[in-house]
Amino acid sequence: MRVEVRLFGGLEKFVKDVRFGEGFPVDLPEGGRVAELLDRLGIPPSQVFSVLINGRHASLADVLREGDRVALFPPLGGG
Amino acid sequence: MERERYLRQITLPGVGEEGQEKLLRSRVLVVGAGGLGAPVACYLAAAGVGTLGLVDDDVVKLSNLQRQILYRTEDLGRPKVEVARRQLLSLNPEVKVEVWRERFAEDNALSLVERFDVVVDATDNFFTRALLNRACVARSKPLVHGGVRNFAGEVMTVLPGSGPCLACLFPLESKAASAQTEGSSVLGPVPGVIGTLQAVEVLKYLLGLGELLVGRLLVYDALSATFHEVQVTRNPSCPVCSKF
Ligand SMILES: [Zn+2]
């Protein structure tokens, strides 16, 4: 199955030729979870603070489905 | 009202003297008087938002001056909210500035939020942000969120009841979130960009203009010089807003 991934806030540095916020496709085995997606991309789970699947808050254990749009964010700072 | 002061916005379509009067009657609370709070407070005072509330317990430090444009070198060591009040009143003596030189905390959160029409998240840590989100959802107050880190930043507006809250977006209520981000690196103008966008959201809300960033996280990256929008939907099991 194929999902679309967008990386923000420096997470894009982990993946070659990927730009901040721009979607790219990732192929995963059926039933793959967010944790497996991170593994495939080489992003340490400790760097990921927030996961959205199709705009909905998700966790590393959530199972992905064909066509899902996944957005990954690092921790945020402030003022 | 000094009509001439606001002339360039009174003449905007959808604003007029009526809109300006509305701004002068409005009350906005800015939580955090740092890199985000500085541009937010300056633009809102300049626009003639009648009452601005500022909450911050900090004093001006040398490492603040790279981005916190309300403060000057001679202000080092002075309470931020006091310096901010002086600066904002000198910018626009027509507005009122109410300050609280304290932390936004469990014991003052609801009573502070209740006094205002709109709240701005200009905080620098997740604990305060989580508290602010809970208080705004509980009192049904619009919350304009902003955050920055390194070369990037984001804005989203929470309208309790009609869109996702911050806990729908981040694991704000979990232990992992307690990892403090205070003191993280940031390129000075990035909070300027984000704080300015927060001020725009506040003015749009108060004037009833345009479309707010409700359910839309607007993300800015200075390095690629791009803005991206991420749709965010309400989490039906959100620990904060699903109860309201
Ligand atoms: Zn929520």
Side-chain angles (χ1 to χ4, degrees):
Chain A
M1 67 170 178
R2 175 168 281 195
V3 297
E4 194 206 48
V5 181
R6 296 167 82 188
L7 303 176
F8 295 92
L11 294 180
E12 73 278 6
K13 306 279 183 302
F14 288 98
V15 188
K16 194 170 178 282
D17 296 332
V18 162
R19 301 186 68 203
F20 185 107
E22 285 185 8
F24 60 98
V26 178
D27 292 314
L28 284 175
E30 288 305 318
R33 294 169 194 273
V34 176
E36 289 157 59
L37 171 67
L38 295 188
D39 192 49
R40 170 70 56 94
L41 296 174
I43 301 176
S46 62
Q47 301 289 309
V48 177
F49 180 60
S50 182
V51 181
L52 294 177
I53 302 177
N54 303 322
R56 174 89 50 95
H57 187 266
S59 72
L60 297 188
D62 284 326
V63 174
L64 293 164
R65 291 185 180 75
E66 171 73 28
D68 275 349
R69 287 169 296 118
V70 186
L72 302 172
F73 301 87
L76 196 69
Chain B
M1 190 221 302
E2 290 177 300
R3 194 175 185 279
E4 191 184 344
R5 176 185 289 271
Y6 310 111
L7 190 62
R8 298 282 289 260
Q9 71 194 33
I10 286 176
T11 50
L12 281 171
V15 182
E17 298 218 10
E18 199 183 315
Q20 190 59 51
E21 297 286 357
K22 220 185 277 179
L23 293 182
L24 287 164
R25 285 193 306 269
S26 300
R27 302 174 51 84
V28 178
L29 178 67
V30 180
V31 181
L36 294 169
V40 171
C42 283
Y43 274 115
L44 295 182
V49 168
T51 307
L52 283 175
L54 286 177
V55 193
D56 200 306
D57 68 342
D58 221 351
V59 296
V60 179
K61 298 190 207 89
L62 190 56
S63 63
N64 297 152
L65 301 182
Q66 160 254 16
R67 65 193 181 287
Q68 302 184 9
I69 53 164
L70 267 173
Y71 313 118
R72 303 284 171 264
T73 303
E74 63 263 29
D75 300 322
L76 291 177
R78 298 200 184 122
K80 284 185 180 178
V81 291
E82 296 300 340
V83 180
R85 173 161 55 190
R86 193 190 65 214
Q87 294 274 57
L88 296 169
L89 291 177
S90 112
L91 171 59
N92 188 353
E94 285 204 331
V95 303
K96 261 185 31 200
V97 182
E98 298 175 359
V99 302
W100 285 268
R101 191 190 165 190
E102 53 197 75
R103 249 177 197 281
F104 186 85
E106 251 359 295
D107 59 349
N108 61 12
L110 291 173
S111 67
L112 278 171
V113 160
E114 273 166 4
R115 300 160 178 256
F116 292 88
D117 304 316
V118 187
V119 181
V120 178
D121 166 19
T123 59
D124 63 356
N125 69 84
F126 263 97
F127 179 79
T128 310
R129 195 165 270 147
L131 189 58
L132 190 53
N133 182 60
R134 285 200 300 273
C136 288
V137 170
R139 289 295 179 263
S140 203
K141 299 288 181 183
L143 173 65
V144 181
H145 157 69
V148 290
R149 186 172 184 247
N150 297 344
F151 299 100
E154 62 180 47
V155 193
M156 188 174 89
T157 298
V158 176
L159 279 190
S162 62
C165 79
L166 296 185
C168 293
L169 173 62
F170 306 116
L172 268 188
E173 302 294 320
S174 78
K175 269 271 180 282
S178 61
Q180 294 271 321
T181 44
E182 246 172 306
S184 57
S185 318
V186 68
L187 187 71
V190 170
V193 171
I194 299 301
T196 302
L197 289 171
Q198 289 178 282
V200 172
E201 285 290 287
V202 170
L203 293 176
K204 280 162 56 189
Y205 173 82
L206 295 173
L207 292 164
L209 292 175
E211 290 161 47
L212 296 167
L213 288 168
V214 175
R216 302 156 59 199
L217 182 73
L218 185 64
V219 189
Y220 168 63
D221 176 42
L223 290 181
S224 58
T226 52
F227 282 94
H228 295 272
E229 189 175 312
V230 183
Q231 297 300 125
V232 183
T233 55
R234 269 185 96 169
N235 176 359
S237 54
C238 173
V240 176
C241 73
S242 63
K243 291 177 247 159
F244 290 91

